[in-house]
Amino acid sequence: MAPRVDFSEWWAKDIRKGTPVVVTMENPNYSVVEIDGPDAAFQPVEKSRGKNAKQVTWVLLLKANLAVGCVAWLANILWALLGAIKKRLIYRQGVVMERGKLGKSKLLFKIIRAFLATSLAILAFEIVAYLKGWHYLKSSNLYIRRTSDFLGLLHMVYVAWLECRGDYIAPTIQSLSTFCVVLFLIQSVDRMILCFGCAWIKYKKIKPTIDEDPFKSDDVEGSNCRYPMVLVQIPMCNEREVYELSLSAACQLDWPKDRLLIQVLDDSDDQSIQWLIKAEVSKWSQHGVNIIYRHRLVRTGYKAGNLKSAMSCDYVKDYEFVAIFDADFQPSPDFLKLTVPHFKDNPELGLVQARWAFVNKDENLLTRLQNINLCYHFEVEQQVNGVFLNFFGFNGTAGVWRIKALEESGGWLERTTVEDMDIAVRAHLNGWKFIFLNDVKVLCEVPESYEAFRKQQHRWHSGPMLLFRLCLPDIISSKISTWKKANLILLFFLLRKLILPFYSFTLFCIILPLTMFVPEAEIPMWVICYIPVFMSFLSILPALKSFPFIAPYLLFENTMSVTKFNAMVSGLFQLGSSYEWVVTKKAGRSSESESDLLTAADVEEKGMNQGQISRRASESEFLELNQLKEQKQSAPKPVKKINKIYRKELALAFLLLTASFRSLLSAHGVHFYFLLFQGVTFLLVGLDLIGEQAS
């Protein structure tokens, strides 16, 4: 019998409830009304009728149309992903294989590849066992094997595998899992405390304050003498795309000209870029800006060596403070007036750090995810540590140092690739205090390609571990309080620089896939789902506009744990890659206000001051400027982007996808979806698709 379809039950309009009451009036002018309930008498009679079959059909068609559209959208995404896999992985069109420079850097890839091969073999064996029903016969005594029975032999191997994984493998994995979960909980508590501290700062409105203009004097003639001498340093190396923006912003800082000196510290090895930067410096010098150009003949020590060489100049002793900006940073004109006054009447203050803001945060998915991470770093980590501890890691740029603090702390050292963190730790050990200004923002760029971002993250996570090895004896023997030593060792270095990448990679990229093949070892659901989502929500609070990207953020953070773990190991054991410094590639983007300032400066140069410059410039200078202009016009055209294939990420993608298929045999629904989406994320990163242009 065919099932009976009663559409009236869907709408629940014709189901009678209660006892009908019939009221009959003797006067024929009144009508008879049946009252089914207290509200029935107040509803229009025409609208109380049930929906007919045609209306229900339209509703079903509308829902079917929406479902088909959703399926088509998912199919388009899947088709595009398969096309990218075919193009980049199979035909190798427009891609190159990422290769490590040293043999030790390939160790992690070999381990992941071994795990992948083992998991594929186990998956094939488990599928055969599942199809044969051996999972119901987990004892070899339940199967009578003949001498020529090959399936019986395989069944005995399968039972031996079950006993081995239950008695030996599962306890080991469970112990390691428990250890990682404990580390995960400790780090989660640390993050919750930081977020609570940030909420307390906002609730109490705690922030460093200054007078409106502490250097203002009633004496007009000698008013400038009250302003301290400030040195501005702009280190750069082959920064063709951004040098013009940074120099323009620095030269328009609102500070007395006779109390300010700008050092352009150019380490470029490309002579054409050197000429362009010289021309820009010459242009601003003709405008009356006190600016000089420096180029080292011996380029050692990377950025630390460049800054150390600049601080050795004789005229530096006349200056009290030094502001440092990387080549892609564009400070606002009032930057010095918002930062330098904090040093007045505060002799223990050694550093004032400003916050970063990003001009290209909406360029693609990668820049959006970086914006989430860095907003949390500045608004939560830096601000809380600055308010409650007066210490945080110097960000290397957009900060003002007291030169006396630099000198007493040993100056810039070339021993690591994180010279900013190095000088901050040594200054803290010498008793200097730091202030973080969350309201003062300096525009800059974040890497737009995964290759540039990956190299930057490797440097940021290998350097701290190398620095920890070098400065641990100094921390222990320093004269600071015991709780400050504990904060430096346990929280600043171990928890946030070592434990975080260790448990993130080990727990979610290694142990979780292994538990799919060893079901006797389980990871609780709250570890996989609830706590990571809650922690991601806390991380995204400083950038609430990015809330729709909370799921990609969680998956991408787990994906980046491979790079961070590899960098952490290389720094901890002083491998060769921990000393590598690769300049982060810039795109040369600027804000609208910065573009307006730059355009105004160009107009002023070409118009009002052109005659003055012509009268003051010598003939040889004109020849050099013309040559520089020709070099600028004949700059090489941008080369078409070549994507890379990242082997570790691809191997982990296939490992996670294999584990997700294995989870289907154990009916682990949440595990399947998590491993599937995480594997797809690794696949996108491994094929260099995460940094593609997207709206």
Side-chain angles (χ1 to χ4, degrees):
M1 178 183 292
R4 179 176 175 270
V5 180
D6 189 358
F7 293 107
S8 63
E9 294 181 0
W10 292 8
W11 303 97
K13 293 295 184 180
D14 295 339
I15 299 176
R16 297 178 180 267
K17 297 180 180 180
T19 304
V21 179
V22 180
V23 181
T24 305
M25 306 298 295
E26 295 180 357
N27 191 343
N29 293 330
Y30 294 91
S31 60
V32 179
V33 180
E34 291 185 5
I35 302 176
D36 293 342
D39 298 329
F42 303 97
Q43 296 179 0
V45 178
E46 295 295 330
K47 295 184 180 180
S48 64
R49 296 178 181 176
K51 300 295 190 292
N52 56 33
K54 183 181 292 186
Q55 290 174 316
V56 174
T57 303
W58 279 108
V59 172
L60 293 177
L61 287 175
L62 179 60
K63 292 184 177 180
N65 183 42
L66 294 176
V68 170
C70 182
V71 172
W73 178 72
L74 293 175
N76 287 333
I77 294 179
L78 181 60
W79 185 258
L81 178 60
L82 293 176
I85 294 174
K86 177 181 177 182
K87 178 182 177 182
R88 298 189 179 184
L89 192 59
I90 299 177
Y91 294 110
R92 304 289 179 90
Q93 294 179 2
V95 296
V96 294
M97 184 66 70
E98 177 256 347
R99 297 184 180 277
K101 294 182 179 180
L102 300 174
K104 294 182 180 179
S105 65
K106 299 180 181 179
L107 178 60
L108 182 60
F109 171 68
K110 292 180 179 179
I111 295 175
I112 297 174
R113 189 170 59 181
F115 272 118
L116 176 59
T118 306
S119 64
L120 288 174
I122 295 176
L123 177 62
F125 192 48
E126 292 273 1
I127 291 176
V128 172
Y130 186 83
L131 295 177
K132 295 295 182 181
W134 294 342
H135 56 291
Y136 295 115
L137 303 174
K138 297 185 178 181
S139 175
S140 58
N141 299 324
L142 298 177
Y143 196 97
I144 302 175
R145 182 177 65 87
R146 298 190 298 265
T147 307
S148 60
D149 192 351
F150 179 71
L151 292 179
L153 180 62
L154 287 180
H155 180 244
M156 290 189 63
V157 174
Y158 177 70
V159 172
W161 156 247
L162 293 180
E163 295 175 353
C164 177
R165 81 182 189 188
D167 296 338
Y168 303 103
I169 301 178
T172 304
I173 296 178
Q174 192 67 56
S175 301
L176 184 58
S177 171
T178 304
F179 177 68
C180 291
V181 169
V182 171
L183 296 180
F184 180 35
L185 293 176
I186 294 174
Q187 197 273 333
S188 300
V189 171
D190 174 63
R191 178 159 295 197
M192 291 178 63
I193 293 174
L194 289 175
C195 291
F196 177 78
C198 181
W200 181 260
I201 290 172
K202 288 184 175 295
Y203 175 72
K204 291 293 185 178
K205 298 181 180 179
I206 303 173
K207 63 178 182 179
T209 57
I210 56 174
D211 298 333
E212 292 185 359
D213 193 352
F215 303 119
K216 188 176 181 180
S217 174
D218 296 333
D219 185 7
V220 179
E221 295 181 357
S223 60
N224 287 348
C225 296
R226 296 176 59 89
Y227 285 85
M229 300 285 286
V230 178
L231 178 67
V232 176
Q233 295 180 334
I234 309 177
M236 57 180 63
C237 181
N238 297 326
E239 307 281 4
R240 181 188 295 272
E241 296 81 9
V242 294
Y243 76 92
E244 200 169 2
L245 294 173
S246 61
L247 292 184
S248 172
C251 291
Q252 297 180 72
L253 288 171
D254 185 11
W255 201 258
K257 300 298 181 183
D258 59 334
R259 316 293 291 179
L260 180 69
L261 173 63
I262 300 175
Q263 282 184 321
V264 181
L265 312 177
D266 183 25
D267 258 3
S268 303
D269 54 5
D270 188 336
Q271 192 172 10
S272 63
I273 299 178
Q274 297 177 25
W275 290 346
L276 293 174
I277 298 175
K278 284 181 181 179
E280 190 70 15
V281 170
S282 177
K283 181 187 77 173
W284 286 104
S285 179
Q286 297 294 344
H287 278 280
V289 178
N290 193 11
I291 183 172
I292 59 175
Y293 174 87
R294 281 181 54 86
H295 179 75
R296 293 191 299 164
L297 297 179
V298 181
R299 300 170 57 250
T300 58
Y302 302 114
K303 181 180 176 181
N306 199 358
L307 294 172
K308 182 179 179 180
S309 174
M311 293 298 294
S312 63
C313 297
D314 294 335
Y315 53 79
V316 173
K317 65 179 182 295
D318 299 329
Y319 292 84
E320 188 176 356
F321 305 104
V322 54
I324 303 174
F325 301 103
D326 282 350
D328 61 316
F329 278 70
Q330 307 161 28
S332 59
D334 60 348
F335 175 83
L336 293 179
K337 290 190 174 180
L338 294 175
T339 54
V340 176
H342 288 277
F343 290 96
K344 187 177 182 181
D345 301 328
N346 196 355
E348 295 181 349
L349 183 60
L351 168 67
V352 175
Q353 173 70 59
R355 179 175 175 171
W356 300 358
F358 312 106
V359 297
N360 61 337
K361 62 182 180 181
D362 297 324
E363 190 64 25
N364 53 41
L365 179 60
L366 179 61
T367 58
R368 289 187 174 100
L369 299 179
Q370 291 179 75
N371 178 61
I372 295 173
N373 231 342
L374 291 171
C375 283
Y376 172 82
H377 168 69
F378 284 107
E379 189 158 341
V380 179
E381 293 180 340
Q382 298 290 77
Q383 185 174 211
V384 171
N385 289 324
V387 169
F388 295 104
L389 300 177
N390 294 120
F391 166 72
F392 47 82
F394 175 45
N395 294 116
T397 177
V400 181
W401 276 94
R402 190 188 297 271
I403 295 181
K404 181 180 178 181
L406 290 177
E407 293 174 346
E408 290 186 357
S409 303
W412 300 104
L413 299 182
E414 308 169 12
R415 56 183 181 174
T416 68
T417 56
V418 285
E419 73 293 328
D420 44 9
M421 185 181 293
D422 189 358
I423 187 64
V425 171
R426 287 184 282 116
H428 180 58
L429 296 179
N430 279 273
W432 292 98
K433 296 181 179 180
F434 303 162
I435 285 180
F436 177 76
L437 303 179
N438 191 54
D439 296 332
V440 181
K441 300 179 180 180
V442 181
L443 294 175
C444 62
E445 291 185 22
V446 289
E448 297 181 8
S449 67
Y450 178 71
E451 179 186 5
F453 176 67
R454 187 170 179 264
K455 292 177 179 178
Q456 181 194 70
Q457 291 299 306
H458 187 278
R459 186 176 77 247
W460 286 2
H461 286 83
S462 64
M465 285 295 95
L466 178 59
L467 176 63
F468 177 64
R469 286 178 55 107
L470 297 174
C471 69
L472 181 60
D474 297 332
I475 296 175
I476 296 175
S477 61
S478 65
K479 297 180 180 180
I480 61 176
S481 61
T482 304
W483 74 270
K484 287 186 177 181
K485 293 180 182 179
N487 173 68
L488 265 178
I489 297 174
L490 300 179
L491 295 180
F492 187 77
F493 279 111
L494 291 181
L495 182 60
R496 297 166 189 165
K497 302 298 187 298
L498 187 147
I499 292 178
L500 177 59
F502 171 78
Y503 85 76
S504 181
F505 171 73
T506 308
L507 184 61
F508 296 105
C509 299
I510 300 297
I511 296 179
L512 180 58
L514 287 180
T515 57
M516 296 298 101
F517 299 97
V518 186
E520 292 83 358
E522 294 184 358
I523 298 179
M525 185 65 63
W526 51 269
V527 175
I528 302 173
C529 183
Y530 302 139
I531 291 185
V533 171
F534 181 66
M535 291 297 107
S536 299
F537 177 75
L538 292 180
S539 301
I540 213 169
L541 281 178
L544 277 178
K545 292 183 179 180
S546 302
F547 187 78
F549 301 96
I550 184 171
Y553 170 75
L554 172 60
L555 296 172
F556 184 69
E557 280 298 293
N558 290 336
T559 304
M560 284 306 300
S561 64
V562 183
T563 299
K564 296 176 182 179
F565 177 81
N566 190 28
M568 180 268 293
V569 172
S570 67
L572 189 62
F573 296 100
Q574 291 184 302
L575 303 181
S577 60
S578 62
Y579 296 95
E580 292 180 359
W581 179 291
V582 180
V583 178
T584 305
K585 187 178 180 181
K586 317 294 192 312
R589 304 187 187 277
S590 64
S591 64
E592 294 181 1
S593 59
E594 185 68 22
S595 300
D596 294 339
L597 290 173
L598 190 58
T599 303
D602 291 339
V603 171
E604 183 181 1
E605 176 203 9
K606 294 179 181 178
M608 298 176 60
N609 295 335
Q610 186 65 36
Q612 299 178 5
I613 295 176
S614 300
R615 289 191 295 270
R616 287 183 293 179
S618 63
E619 190 172 323
S620 60
E621 289 174 339
F622 268 114
L623 292 175
E624 184 178 0
L625 287 174
N626 290 332
Q627 187 177 9
L628 294 172
K629 186 179 293 185
E630 292 176 359
Q631 286 283 342
K632 188 173 183 178
Q633 293 176 353
S634 61
K637 297 181 180 180
V639 183
K640 185 179 179 181
K641 178 185 176 182
I642 297 182
N643 301 87
K644 283 189 175 182
I645 292 179
Y646 300 97
R647 299 179 299 173
K648 289 190 290 291
E649 285 78 0
L650 274 182
L652 272 172
F654 294 127
L655 174 62
L656 292 170
L657 292 175
T658 304
S660 68
F661 294 137
R662 172 61 182 84
S663 66
L664 292 176
L665 301 179
S666 303
H668 290 139
V670 176
H671 296 75
F672 168 74
Y673 288 112
F674 179 83
L675 291 168
L676 178 63
F677 291 135
Q678 190 66 70
V680 171
T681 307
F682 268 104
L683 187 62
L684 293 175
V685 171
L687 295 176
D688 202 6
L689 292 171
I690 196 69
E692 295 291 336
Q693 190 75 18
S695 59

